[in-house]
Amino acid sequence: MDEQTDDPQAFAQSVARGLSSRPRQLDCRYLYDEIGSELFARITEQPEYYPTRAETEILADHADRLASELGAVPICELGSGTSEKTRLLLDAWSRQASDTFHYVPVDIDPAVLRAAASALCERHERLHVSGLATSYESALERLREVTPKLVLFLGSTIGNFEPSDMDTFLHQLEAALQPGDAVLLGIDLVKDVAVLEAAYNDAAGVTERFTINLFERMNRELGAGIPEKAVEHVAFWNERSDRIEIYGRFREDVQIDLPGLERRFEIESGEMVRVEVSRKFRVEQMGEALARHRLRLDQVLTDADGRFAVLLLRRTRQPEEAAFAA
Ligand code: AVJ
C-alpha cells in the first residue's frame, strides 16, 4: 500500500511542503482521519449540503435499470467512505445477480472501510467485499484485469482535483478500463452562487469543524502547537475557476511546529491556508474532457432540480491499430 495517510512522517512532510508553497495549502486527503470522516458524514446530513441528497435521488431512480443494463458486474468504488449511496446500487445488484457478486471499496481511511464492509456483508449474503485502503492510482492498477466491471467515482470527489491532476486521474482511469467497462461519475453542477456557498457554510457549523479538524489533527499527530481558536473556516465561490475554495484563516500570528522534521513556520494574522477545492462542472465541458480519454458519455442522469449529475461512461475500443504499418 502506498500514500498511507496514517503515517505521521508522510503527514508531516506533506504539511511542510504545503506550508512552504504559495499560496499555502494542505492536502485535502488528510481531512479524513477518524474524526474528519465522521464530520464529513454529518456534513452530508446538513440541510444546506444538497449534493449527497441529489445524488442519492439519482441512484435510487436508476439503480435497477442500471443493474439490468450492465448486469451484476463487479463494482469498484473510489473514495467509498461509508458506502451509504452505494447500498442503492448493491441492493439492485443483488436483485439482478443469480450468484455471488463483488464489491471493491477503495478509501483512504481503513477504519471507515472496515465498518462499511462488515455492514454490507451483513446486508447481502452473496456479496463479496474486498476493501483496499490505498490510493486511487494503485487500486486502479490492481483492478485492470477485472473485466467487465463498473467503476464508481461518486460525490463529485473529482472536483477536488486541480485541472492538471484531473487529467492525470482520467488517464489512470482510462488505463484501468478495458473496452466496454463502465464508470458512474458523480459531478456537482455549476449553479447559483448563494446555493453553492451555503453548502460549504452550513449554519450548524459542521463544515467549519471539518476544516478546523485538519489543524487539530496537526496538533494531535504532529505536535504542531497551534493555539485553540486560532483558525477560522472560510469558504467561497471562485468565479474564474468554477470552484468553491476552503481555507483556514489565522486570527492571530501563529507558529506551526513540525518537531519531527525540526521545522517551524511563522504564519501571520489574516493568512489563509487552503485545505480543499471543490470544483463544479458543466456537462458538456466534462463530456469533452472525457472524450479525450476514450471515455464515451452514454447517459446523463440528473436529479429533478438539476443540481447534480451522474454520468454513465463507457470505455471505447482502442483506435484501430495501424496493423499494416512497418
Ligand atoms: C467529498 C470532496 C465531494 O467537495 O463537496 C464537503 C468535501 N468539503 N464539504 C465536497 C466537502 C466540505 C466534498 N467532497
Side-chain angles (χ1 to χ4, degrees):
M1 282 192 262
D2 56 355
E3 300 182 58
Q4 279 280 310
T5 51
D6 52 5
D7 171 357
Q9 196 65 10
F11 182 25
Q13 270 154 5
S14 168
V15 169
R17 257 197 316 280
L19 293 180
S20 307
S21 66
R22 295 293 181 280
R24 296 193 205 266
Q25 54 188 290
L26 298 168
D27 184 334
C28 67
R29 284 177 297 187
Y30 290 101
L31 287 162
Y32 300 89
D33 64 347
E34 214 168 326
I35 297 173
S37 295
E38 169 66 32
L39 286 168
F40 179 67
R42 289 186 43 208
I43 286 174
T44 66
E45 294 161 0
Q46 299 310 303
E48 298 92 339
Y49 193 77
Y50 63 85
T52 309
R53 276 187 301 279
E55 191 176 42
T56 301
E57 174 189 325
I58 296 165
L59 294 174
D61 285 352
H62 296 277
D64 278 306
R65 185 180 55 77
L66 288 167
S68 78
E69 287 176 15
L70 299 172
V73 295
I75 296 178
C76 165
E77 178 168 24
L78 305 175
S80 50
T82 58
S83 300
E84 192 118 334
K85 288 168 291 189
T86 317
R87 217 164 281 179
L88 294 162
L89 289 173
L90 293 172
D91 288 356
W93 254 234
S94 85
R95 290 187 285 271
Q96 175 73 22
S98 48
D99 201 350
T100 57
F101 56 113
H102 296 265
Y103 176 50
V104 182
V106 179
D107 202 270
I108 207 77
D109 178 356
V112 105
L113 208 50
R114 269 191 294 274
S118 75
L120 285 169
C121 289
E122 222 148 86
R123 188 179 176 89
H124 294 294
E125 226 171 68
R126 294 175 299 144
L127 176 63
H128 287 208
V129 181
S130 359
L132 296 175
T134 184
S135 67
Y136 299 157
E137 183 179 13
S138 69
L140 285 170
E141 261 167 35
R142 286 171 61 171
L143 292 163
R144 229 197 115 145
E145 305 311 321
V146 178
T147 189
K149 64 178 169 289
L150 169 64
V151 173
L152 303 180
F153 196 32
L154 300 176
S156 203
T157 302
I158 195 168
N160 278 165
F161 292 127
E162 296 284 340
S164 66
D165 294 336
M166 181 169 112
D167 207 65
T168 305
F169 170 78
L170 290 177
H171 183 77
Q172 290 162 355
L173 179 61
E174 171 192 9
L177 299 174
Q178 313 281 343
D181 283 353
V183 179
L184 283 177
L185 178 66
I187 56 171
D188 196 12
L189 302 175
V190 172
K191 61 179 61 63
D192 185 65
V193 177
V195 174
L196 286 167
E197 291 189 338
Y200 295 85
N201 291 283
D202 62 280
V206 185
T207 308
E208 176 179 26
R209 286 173 52 200
F210 181 64
T211 298
I212 290 168
N213 174 58
L214 180 51
F215 296 89
E216 291 172 346
R217 180 178 183 184
M218 287 161 58
N219 285 348
R220 285 193 297 270
E221 295 180 20
L222 308 176
I226 303 165
E228 213 186 321
K229 306 251 164 75
V231 185
E232 64 185 337
H233 160 87
V234 177
F236 56 83
W237 177 245
N238 179 331
E239 175 85 52
R240 286 185 47 216
S241 315
D242 274 353
R243 69 191 192 187
I244 290 283
E245 298 182 357
I246 306 178
Y247 296 86
R249 180 165 61 200
F250 282 78
R251 292 191 167 104
E252 53 193 89
D253 293 355
V254 162
Q255 296 177 339
I256 300 182
D257 286 317
L258 299 174
L261 301 179
E262 295 184 7
R263 302 270 318 254
R264 167 173 287 181
F265 294 88
E266 312 274 350
I267 315 287
E268 280 175 34
S269 177
E271 269 201 72
M272 312 228 288
V273 176
R274 203 177 76 193
V275 301
E276 196 174 33
V277 299
S278 188
R279 183 166 162 208
K280 308 304 169 183
F281 299 92
R282 302 163 205 275
V283 170
E284 194 179 315
Q285 160 203 42
M286 188 55 135
E288 288 163 12
L290 295 165
R292 289 195 288 275
H293 293 276
R294 289 187 296 191
L295 295 165
R296 188 184 66 219
L297 185 48
D298 259 15
Q299 295 178 19
V300 179
L301 315 174
T302 55
D303 60 305
D305 296 331
R307 296 169 295 181
F308 198 97
V310 174
L311 310 179
L312 175 66
L313 318 176
R314 293 288 196 144
R315 184 33 232 283
T316 56
R317 304 225 141 256
Q318 308 269 3
E320 287 298 295
E321 299 254 344
F324 302 109

mmCIF file of all heavy atoms in Angstrom, residues 82 110-120:
data_model
loop_
_atom_site.group_PDB
_atom_site.id
_atom_site.type_symbol
_atom_site.label_atom_id
_atom_site.label_comp_id
_atom_site.label_asym_id
_atom_site.label_seq_id
_atom_site.Cartn_x
_atom_site.Cartn_y
_atom_site.Cartn_z
ATOM 1 N N THR A 82 -18.519 5.754 3.649
ATOM 2 C CA THR A 82 -19.461 4.878 4.355
ATOM 3 C C THR A 82 -20.208 3.939 3.405
ATOM 4 O O THR A 82 -20.982 3.101 3.860
ATOM 5 C CB THR A 82 -20.517 5.715 5.095
ATOM 6 O OG1 THR A 82 -21.205 6.535 4.127
ATOM 7 C CG2 THR A 82 -19.887 6.602 6.146
ATOM 8 N N PRO A 110 -8.838 3.399 6.665
ATOM 9 C CA PRO A 110 -9.085 1.961 6.840
ATOM 10 C C PRO A 110 -10.202 1.666 7.832
ATOM 11 O O PRO A 110 -10.916 0.672 7.671
ATOM 12 C CB PRO A 110 -7.741 1.413 7.348
ATOM 13 C CG PRO A 110 -6.870 2.578 7.640
ATOM 14 C CD PRO A 110 -7.479 3.804 7.053
ATOM 15 N N ALA A 111 -10.407 2.539 8.807
ATOM 16 C CA ALA A 111 -11.457 2.298 9.807
ATOM 17 C C ALA A 111 -12.836 2.377 9.158
ATOM 18 O O ALA A 111 -13.705 1.519 9.377
ATOM 19 C CB ALA A 111 -11.341 3.307 10.952
ATOM 20 N N VAL A 112 -13.015 3.394 8.336
ATOM 21 C CA VAL A 112 -14.294 3.594 7.666
ATOM 22 C C VAL A 112 -14.555 2.438 6.679
ATOM 23 O O VAL A 112 -15.678 1.951 6.517
ATOM 24 C CB VAL A 112 -14.297 4.997 6.986
ATOM 25 C CG1 VAL A 112 -14.128 4.935 5.500
ATOM 26 C CG2 VAL A 112 -15.507 5.799 7.371
ATOM 27 N N LEU A 113 -13.485 1.961 6.081
ATOM 28 C CA LEU A 113 -13.556 0.856 5.132
ATOM 29 C C LEU A 113 -14.024 -0.432 5.815
ATOM 30 O O LEU A 113 -14.917 -1.130 5.332
ATOM 31 C CB LEU A 113 -12.159 0.662 4.546
ATOM 32 C CG LEU A 113 -11.941 0.092 3.171
ATOM 33 C CD1 LEU A 113 -12.774 0.778 2.121
ATOM 34 C CD2 LEU A 113 -10.458 0.246 2.807
ATOM 35 N N ARG A 114 -13.428 -0.730 6.957
ATOM 36 C CA ARG A 114 -13.804 -1.938 7.699
ATOM 37 C C ARG A 114 -15.255 -1.888 8.141
ATOM 38 O O ARG A 114 -16.003 -2.856 7.996
ATOM 39 C CB ARG A 114 -12.902 -2.108 8.936
ATOM 40 C CG ARG A 114 -11.657 -2.936 8.667
ATOM 41 C CD ARG A 114 -10.960 -3.295 9.980
ATOM 42 N NE ARG A 114 -10.423 -2.111 10.650
ATOM 43 C CZ ARG A 114 -9.220 -1.594 10.388
ATOM 44 N NH1 ARG A 114 -8.442 -2.151 9.487
ATOM 45 N NH2 ARG A 114 -8.817 -0.516 11.026
ATOM 46 N N ALA A 115 -15.672 -0.738 8.659
ATOM 47 C CA ALA A 115 -17.053 -0.599 9.147
ATOM 48 C C ALA A 115 -18.038 -0.782 7.994
ATOM 49 O O ALA A 115 -19.033 -1.511 8.128
ATOM 50 C CB ALA A 115 -17.235 0.769 9.806
ATOM 51 N N ALA A 116 -17.746 -0.148 6.852
ATOM 52 C CA ALA A 116 -18.649 -0.251 5.708
ATOM 53 C C ALA A 116 -18.724 -1.687 5.209
ATOM 54 O O ALA A 116 -19.803 -2.211 4.932
ATOM 55 C CB ALA A 116 -18.190 0.683 4.590
ATOM 56 N N ALA A 117 -17.566 -2.348 5.124
ATOM 57 C CA ALA A 117 -17.529 -3.717 4.603
ATOM 58 C C ALA A 117 -18.351 -4.658 5.470
ATOM 59 O O ALA A 117 -19.120 -5.478 4.952
ATOM 60 C CB ALA A 117 -16.083 -4.194 4.498
ATOM 61 N N SER A 118 -18.222 -4.534 6.789
ATOM 62 C CA SER A 118 -18.940 -5.505 7.621
ATOM 63 C C SER A 118 -20.443 -5.237 7.596
ATOM 64 O O SER A 118 -21.239 -6.172 7.592
ATOM 65 C CB SER A 118 -18.362 -5.556 9.039
ATOM 66 O OG SER A 118 -18.762 -4.428 9.759
ATOM 67 N N ALA A 119 -20.848 -3.969 7.514
ATOM 68 C CA ALA A 119 -22.279 -3.666 7.406
ATOM 69 C C ALA A 119 -22.847 -4.236 6.100
ATOM 70 O O ALA A 119 -23.948 -4.790 6.086
ATOM 71 C CB ALA A 119 -22.506 -2.152 7.465
ATOM 72 N N LEU A 120 -22.086 -4.119 5.026
ATOM 73 C CA LEU A 120 -22.579 -4.600 3.726
ATOM 74 C C LEU A 120 -22.671 -6.116 3.681
ATOM 75 O O LEU A 120 -23.608 -6.680 3.117
ATOM 76 C CB LEU A 120 -21.685 -4.087 2.602
ATOM 77 C CG LEU A 120 -21.868 -2.610 2.260
ATOM 78 C CD1 LEU A 120 -20.767 -2.130 1.339
ATOM 79 C CD2 LEU A 120 -23.245 -2.376 1.629
#
